[in-house]
Amino acid sequence: MAGELLLELQAVSHVFADGSRGLDGCSLGIRRGSRNALLGANGSGKTTLLLHLNGLLQPSAGCIRIDDCALDYSRSGLTALRRRVGLVFQNPERQLFSASVFEDVSFGPLNLGLDETGVRARVAQALAAVGMAEQAERPVHHLSFGQKKRVCIAGVLAMQPELLLLDEPMAGLDSGMQDELLRILDDLSARGISIVLATHDVDFAYRWADHIHLLAGGRCSASFAASELPQQAATLRAAGQALPAVVQLHRSLVARGVLPAAPVPGSIPQLLAVLAETPAGEPNLDETPSARQRSAT
Ligand SMILES: Nc1ncnc2c1ncn2[C@@H]1O[C@H](COP(=O)(O)OP(=O)(O)OP(=O)(O)O)[C@@H](O)[C@H]1O
Ligand SMILES: [Mg+2]
């Protein structure tokens, strides 16, 4: 059911072979059907966390639960987990290994033991979802970076996961490709797929996510609804993040009496739309500090 806890990290720590700490007592929950952004500075533990969520890394201490059952790290347990949880790496070169797009995307469904018709149907559906249906026969090494990224997403979608993990999916994409990827993510979340993505981009996290999890020093320093982000300036600062540009700009326009304090727009396009409806030279003074000051006198 939407909103139930799907995955939970309970005080998870991970110590790498060289003694570095990737996670240090990290606790957070992922709700079914939700869009989650992991936000944090370089080295805060985002990638390490994603690698734990599909069992590529195991906790040195603490526990990860899916549907309230501890992850099963046996061979069959991991196979079952990876059917449910798909990970798209930051670097597509790390994920793609077949000669053609079709071969690459069909690898997962073939391993599920589906027959040829079933595999073809899954591949066609996954490639269509990322706008790569026309490129199925192309050699992977001829594709651009953004196209490779789409093929990686298709490879994971072909497994029909419940939870999609993406490590900095926008990195290296031009703005057109970023918009396309946003559309793909919107489609997936409309179909009920839960999404967790790692990002450095607080503006994107604010615009896109339902829930934001702040990572600092290998632990989750705060989890909150994205709509609460404007009230989290101090928490963000402590994790090395600034408020989104749209929130800063909106505050500045409120202080000048141009816009009302509420609602806070979710993105620059939304802010511009509100501004376009505000007549020039006639600032909307309702609920602005200057309006409050005047009514107090
Ligand atoms: N294979 C590894 N061996 C040793 N230490 C590692 C390894 N992978 C990550 N670390 C360490 O774990 C910590 C968390 O790294 P991680 O890659 O999870 O951070 P991140 O938040 O994804 O950073 P970035 O924003 O740079 O991608 C860092 O201190 C890093 O040096
Ligand atoms: Mg990383």
Side-chain angles (χ1 to χ4, degrees):
M1 201 204 288
E4 279 174 0
L5 212 48
L6 172 63
L7 252 166
E8 191 178 15
L9 270 82
Q10 298 174 335
V12 172
S13 294
H14 184 88
V15 182
F16 286 101
D18 69 353
S20 311
R21 266 186 187 269
L23 291 176
D24 190 9
C26 183
S27 297
L28 61 84
I30 304 296
R31 301 206 165 270
R32 200 179 291 281
S34 63
R35 303 157 169 241
N36 299 267
L38 304 175
L39 202 56
N42 290 136
S44 57
K46 302 180 296 296
T47 298
T48 308
L49 172 47
L50 293 177
L51 294 173
H52 277 79
L53 294 185
N54 85 337
L56 279 171
L57 289 178
Q58 292 189 31
S60 313
C63 180
I64 303 177
R65 303 177 76 79
I66 186 162
D67 282 337
D68 212 17
C69 294
L71 290 197
D72 168 5
Y73 292 100
S74 67
R75 201 184 161 91
S76 61
L78 286 174
T79 305
L81 176 68
R82 289 180 195 146
R83 281 185 187 194
R84 301 181 65 183
V85 181
L87 170 63
V88 179
F89 288 95
Q90 178 176 359
N91 181 358
E93 307 292 349
R94 194 172 160 191
Q95 195 147 354
L96 300 173
F97 50 86
S98 304
S100 80
V101 169
F102 179 89
E103 278 173 39
D104 214 282
V105 178
S106 61
F107 179 80
L110 277 172
N111 275 345
L112 291 179
L114 298 175
D115 63 14
E116 196 188 324
T117 320
V119 170
R120 286 194 170 276
R122 290 261 187 130
V123 174
Q125 203 180 17
L127 287 176
V130 299
M132 290 289 289
E134 307 298 315
Q135 325 252 10
E137 300 310 323
R138 291 191 72 192
V140 163
H141 66 276
H142 283 177
L143 302 178
S144 75
F145 180 87
Q147 290 168 331
K148 284 181 182 162
K149 208 136 193 177
R150 290 176 189 224
V151 174
C152 291
I153 296 174
V156 171
L157 292 184
M159 301 294 282
Q160 299 185 346
E162 286 168 56
L163 172 61
L164 180 61
L165 312 172
L166 302 113
D167 200 352
E168 299 189 26
M170 298 298 178
L173 299 185
D174 66 28
S175 68
M177 272 291 198
Q178 290 193 2
D179 289 346
E180 272 286 289
L181 182 55
L182 262 184
R183 189 190 53 72
I184 294 167
L185 296 182
D186 281 346
D187 271 6
L188 296 174
S189 92
R191 278 162 42 196
I193 295 177
S194 318
I195 303 177
V196 179
L197 58 80
T199 181
H200 290 115
D201 185 342
V202 70
D203 294 81
F204 168 62
Y206 180 53
R207 182 161 62 128
W208 174 82
D210 303 323
H211 296 284
I212 292 178
H213 309 278
L214 271 183
L215 291 197
R219 64 176 61 202
C220 179
S221 56
S223 285
F224 46 82
S227 56
E228 289 170 21
L229 191 136
Q231 287 82 54
Q232 298 284 347
T235 325
L236 283 169
R237 221 177 5 259
Q241 305 288 318
L243 277 172
V246 63
V247 175
Q248 298 188 41
L249 197 52
H250 177 255
R251 285 191 177 170
S252 164
L253 291 167
V254 171
R256 284 161 179 74
V258 177
L259 287 181
V264 184
S267 63
I268 298 283
Q270 272 182 29
L271 176 72
L272 290 175
V274 177
L275 268 179
E277 285 167 15
T278 307
E282 288 178 39
N284 183 347
L285 294 173
D286 291 348
E287 296 193 25
T288 60
S290 48
R292 278 198 296 276
Q293 258 174 14
R294 268 204 314 278
S295 61
T297 52

